[in-house]
Amino acid sequence: MSCLTLMEFSSRNNVPYIFLTNGGGLTETDKAAQLSKKIGIHISPDQLILSHSPMRSLVSKYEDKNVLVVGGNGSDCRNVAEHYGFKHVVTPEEVHAVYPSVCPSSAIEARSVPLAEKYLQNVHRPVEAIMVFHDSVDWGRDLQVILDALVSRDGYLTTVKSQSELHTTKQSVPLYFSNSDLVWSNEYPNPRFAQGTFRTCLERIYEDMTGQKLEYTLFGKPMTPTYQFADTVLNTLAPIHCGPDNLPRPRTVYAIGDNPYADIAGANAYGWHSLLVRTGVFAPDGEENHHIHPATAVVDHVEDANLMYVQAKSIVEVL
Amino acid sequence: MSCLTLMEFSSRNNVPYIFLTNGGGLTETDKAAQLSKKIGIHISPDQLILSHSPMRSLVSKYEDKNVLVVGGNGSDCRNVAEHYGFKHVVTPEEVHAVYPSVCPSSAIEARSVPLAEKYLQNVHRPVEAIMVFHDSVDWGRDLQVILDALVSRDGYLTTVKSQSELHTTKQSVPLYFSNSDLVWSNEYPNPRFAQGTFRTCLERIYEDMTGQKLEYTLFGKPMTPTYQFADTVLNTLAPIHCGPDNLPRPRTVYAIGDNPYADIAGANAYGWHSLLVRTGVFAPDGEENHHIHPATAVVDHVEDANLMYVQAKSIVEVL
């Protein structure tokens, strides 16, 4: 069953249907437009959950606070964060343009200077949360600015705790990552570093400097907060029906994906049915099922899963 | 005693005199010209030991082999390496220009493309040594390309060992760093990441991927190979005189510096006298001597060390 057929099935049977991806760096609206164009039918932004979509759940806590938003090209992630409702955003690029000595080995692009002027007030306000929205395009600069915030006095960049405070007090600012994957695959023959590898570097630096473990919250597959967020979205698309006892009926959700460690592990942990396809990273002619994260069923291709859909109350297609 | 007075003393008494710094990214000739202009007297390139100068000692081993040279701006470090005598140099920038998918989040500058064409043969030859000459200007790209070489089959980029080989065989390529400092100080209020922090990130990534410790050789203060190299240089400036028994007489070397962990630790470990000045990172009104790396003597300013120089047979000024 192709995406298209699946969509038709879903529409005919009133089964809510969402896409869940660890990609990001743009708004759900832009991604939905991209995907709609690609597959030729209309996908609503509500049906798309990107790696950073669950960070919407942090808006109520931080909308009036200053948040350091890291990753992505140019102002893309600033735009996503503002679109979500964060009112005071600052990026490492702007910090760097105001303080060139923060990372002298990195270049400051011409575009950064007017941006830094526009958001100068946010550069000087204390950082109250750090949110890595997408892959860093300048690891040296971004690791440095994040660490500066983590070891600052109350989030004020350019300040730093004393040596003894560094070893005895908690990190100054909470930290969120949108994606836990260590690597990802593209056309290069070997997997490439993903946001998770950037995070392990920060862990090592922070632990060396403070003797303490870095604390953070992870979003993205296979992390539970992402599945909780996806569940909420499914509820808005088709609210859970209550039985005669007025208690919500269990929902039957099928999650379809190719990556045992992200798609299948996440779905299994959240209590959803999982369908592992052989058209992606799982070896096409390999084991019968994955040895660490076995799926509810393994199918050669998503088309072979038709029979199962008749039971589905919700479908999550993982990208 | 200023640099100038010290030089006069040195010249008058035929005492060889060198500068030893963890800086780099340019040739000793260029640095000598910079320094000569700054202090107004002629400094010979032979008197300057930069962080990567001891890598000259690797030329005999690698001059005809393909070496991955990392760090610095543009082609600066390629030029330094070629100046030292390495005939086949390749840089991460050139690898990236040939294989854009090696690190899609990093930008490829226009200047990289003709460079990559010029050195295309080296991109395809196996990497036989990795030498980090200077601070990376693109950590994400450089960590990725170094790791690709470390886990490759015999240094061929775009190849990778099997999972079991990764955990049971040694790293594919030897690795050298010119500087072990974790941080350095500039005009920013808090210390900035130096090459040593970049190295700890690579250690963490390599260990996570292979379950093994990363192996490498460190140069720069306070590492012994740098002092061995400095000793050789002092010998060429003023060969050790032999006594009547035809055995070399011990040389009295004074090393002057402000950093207990680099300058004083390195000199002490190598058996040189160390003079710790209070005009730099060592607290001006603090302890009598450093508690971990006590110097032979602590002086408020290099001028207060006059009396000691009369005994000196060699002087090393650490920058």
Side-chain angles (χ1 to χ4, degrees):
Chain A
M1 190 184 276
S2 67
C3 271
L4 195 56
T5 334
L6 201 56
M7 280 297 297
E8 284 164 357
F9 166 84
S10 165
S11 306
R12 206 164 48 236
N13 294 278
N14 200 25
V15 173
Y17 179 86
I18 59 172
F19 292 88
L20 187 57
T21 168
N22 274 355
L26 71 181
T27 62
E28 291 77 3
T29 307
D30 290 341
K31 182 72 180 176
Q34 272 185 9
L35 197 58
S36 298
K37 195 173 170 188
K38 193 171 175 183
I39 64 176
I41 55 168
H42 177 71
I43 307 282
S44 152
D46 297 339
Q47 290 175 279
L48 265 172
I49 301 181
L50 307 176
S51 66
H52 41 64
S53 302
M55 290 188 179
R56 283 175 185 275
S57 62
L58 301 171
V59 171
S60 58
K61 190 170 180 185
Y62 295 112
E63 62 185 327
D64 293 316
K65 296 182 173 172
N66 203 36
V67 295
L68 180 69
V69 168
V70 181
N73 290 312
S75 288
D76 287 352
C77 287
R78 156 180 282 288
N79 296 342
V80 174
E82 287 173 345
H83 173 74
Y84 286 175
F86 297 102
K87 292 177 195 153
H88 303 284
V89 170
V90 63
T91 69
E93 176 183 348
E94 294 147 13
V95 173
H96 191 207
V98 173
Y99 300 112
S101 60
V102 84
C103 184
S105 55
S106 285
I108 298 174
E109 291 176 54
R111 58 180 292 286
S112 311
V113 178
L115 265 179
E117 279 167 15
K118 186 170 175 189
Y119 300 108
L120 189 61
Q121 214 177 359
N122 294 358
V123 173
H124 292 302
R125 291 181 69 180
V127 172
E128 302 205 40
I130 304 163
M131 299 179 192
V132 182
F133 265 57
H134 199 46
D135 293 342
S136 165
V137 299
D138 187 336
W139 285 35
R141 178 195 68 193
D142 292 351
L143 288 169
Q144 181 74 74
V145 174
I146 294 173
L147 191 95
D148 285 345
L150 292 172
V151 301
S152 67
R153 291 188 179 278
D154 303 319
Y156 285 95
L157 297 172
T158 78
T159 68
V160 65
K161 292 178 185 174
S162 71
Q163 276 300 314
S164 73
E165 284 171 329
L166 281 176
H167 287 77
T168 54
T169 60
K170 291 186 71 166
Q171 73 193 45
S172 304
V173 185
L175 173 62
Y176 302 88
F177 290 96
S178 67
N179 180 349
S180 65
D181 294 343
L182 291 173
V183 293
W184 65 291
S185 293
N186 64 359
E187 59 271 34
Y188 197 79
N190 316 324
R192 305 292 81 199
F193 295 159
Q195 203 188 107
T197 297
F198 176 85
R199 186 194 77 236
T200 62
C201 292
L202 187 67
E203 285 179 344
R204 170 70 189 251
I205 297 170
Y206 184 79
E207 288 172 31
D208 281 355
M209 192 165 287
T210 66
Q212 300 194 70
K213 289 268 178 212
L214 184 67
E215 291 180 10
Y216 50 82
T217 302
L218 293 179
F219 293 101
K221 295 175 292 179
M223 310 313 296
T224 302
T226 282
Y227 286 84
Q228 288 167 334
F229 186 82
D231 216 7
T232 310
V233 171
L234 286 173
N235 273 335
T236 60
L237 295 176
I240 291 174
H241 292 291
C242 292
D245 48 8
N246 216 25
L247 289 174
R249 298 288 95 185
R251 181 198 296 280
T252 310
V253 180
Y254 280 79
I256 309 158
D258 71 318
N259 185 331
Y261 293 94
D263 308 332
I264 306 306
N268 289 351
Y270 199 67
W272 288 350
H273 295 280
S274 54
L275 295 181
L276 177 58
V277 294
R278 290 190 189 275
T279 45
V281 305
F282 185 62
D285 305 313
E287 327 148 69
E288 280 194 19
N289 205 329
H290 193 256
H291 60 296
I292 299 174
H293 301 293
T296 311
V298 181
V299 291
D300 283 342
H301 193 277
V302 67
E303 288 169 11
D304 300 326
N306 287 2
L307 279 179
M308 298 181 178
Y309 295 133
V310 298
Q311 298 175 44
K313 296 288 176 291
S314 298
I315 298 170
V316 177
E317 175 108 7
V318 282
L319 298 173
Chain B
M1 189 186 277
S2 66
C3 272
L4 195 56
T5 334
L6 200 56
M7 281 298 297
E8 285 163 356
F9 165 84
S10 165
S11 306
R12 207 163 48 234
N13 293 277
N14 200 26
V15 172
Y17 179 87
I18 58 173
F19 293 88
L20 187 57
T21 168
N22 275 356
L26 71 181
T27 63
E28 291 77 2
T29 308
D30 290 342
K31 183 71 178 177
Q34 272 185 8
L35 197 59
S36 297
K37 195 174 171 189
K38 193 171 177 185
I39 64 176
I41 56 168
H42 177 71
I43 306 282
S44 153
D46 299 337
Q47 290 174 281
L48 265 174
I49 301 181
L50 307 176
S51 66
H52 41 63
S53 302
M55 289 188 179
R56 284 176 185 274
S57 62
L58 300 172
V59 172
S60 58
K61 191 170 179 185
Y62 294 112
E63 61 184 328
D64 293 317
K65 295 181 172 170
N66 203 36
V67 295
L68 179 69
V69 168
V70 181
N73 290 310
S75 289
D76 288 353
C77 287
R78 158 181 280 287
N79 297 341
V80 174
E82 287 173 343
H83 173 74
Y84 286 175
F86 296 102
K87 291 177 195 153
H88 303 285
V89 171
V90 63
T91 68
E93 176 182 348
E94 293 146 14
V95 173
H96 191 208
V98 173
Y99 300 113
S101 60
V102 84
C103 184
S105 55
S106 285
I108 298 174
E109 291 176 54
R111 59 180 291 288
S112 311
V113 178
L115 265 179
E117 280 167 14
K118 185 171 176 189
Y119 300 108
L120 189 61
Q121 212 177 2
N122 295 356
V123 173
H124 292 303
R125 292 181 67 180
V127 172
E128 302 206 41
I130 304 164
M131 300 179 191
V132 182
F133 264 58
H134 198 45
D135 293 341
S136 166
V137 300
D138 188 336
W139 285 35
R141 178 195 69 193
D142 292 352
L143 288 169
Q144 180 74 74
V145 175
I146 294 173
L147 191 94
D148 285 345
L150 291 173
V151 301
S152 66
R153 292 190 180 273
D154 303 319
Y156 285 94
L157 296 172
T158 76
T159 69
V160 66
K161 293 179 186 172
S162 70
Q163 276 299 313
S164 73
E165 284 171 329
L166 282 175
H167 286 77
T168 53
T169 60
K170 291 187 71 168
Q171 74 192 45
S172 304
V173 185
L175 173 62
Y176 302 89
F177 290 96
S178 67
N179 181 348
S180 65
D181 295 343
L182 291 172
V183 292
W184 65 292
S185 293
N186 65 359
E187 59 271 35
Y188 197 80
N190 316 326
R192 303 292 84 197
F193 295 159
Q195 203 188 106
T197 296
F198 176 85
R199 187 193 75 238
T200 62
C201 292
L202 187 67
E203 286 178 344
R204 170 72 190 249
I205 297 170
Y206 184 79
E207 288 171 30
D208 281 355
M209 193 165 287
T210 67
Q212 300 194 70
K213 289 268 176 210
L214 184 67
E215 291 181 10
Y216 50 81
T217 302
L218 293 178
F219 292 101
K221 297 175 290 178
M223 311 313 294
T224 303
T226 281
Y227 286 84
Q228 286 167 335
F229 185 82
D231 216 6
T232 310
V233 170
L234 285 173
N235 272 335
T236 61
L237 295 176
I240 292 173
H241 292 289
C242 291
D245 49 7
N246 217 25
L247 289 173
R249 297 290 94 184
R251 181 198 296 281
T252 310
V253 180
Y254 279 80
I256 309 160
D258 72 316
N259 185 332
Y261 293 93
D263 308 333
I264 306 306
N268 288 353
Y270 200 68
W272 288 351
H273 296 280
S274 54
L275 296 180
L276 176 57
V277 294
R278 290 189 189 275
T279 44
V281 304
F282 185 61
D285 306 312
E287 326 148 70
E288 280 194 20
N289 205 328
H290 193 256
H291 60 295
I292 299 174
H293 300 293
T296 311
V298 181
V299 291
D300 284 342
H301 193 277
V302 67
E303 289 170 9
D304 300 325
N306 286 2
L307 279 179
M308 297 181 178
Y309 294 134
V310 298
Q311 296 174 45
K313 296 286 176 293
S314 299
I315 299 171
V316 178
E317 176 108 7
V318 279
L319 298 172

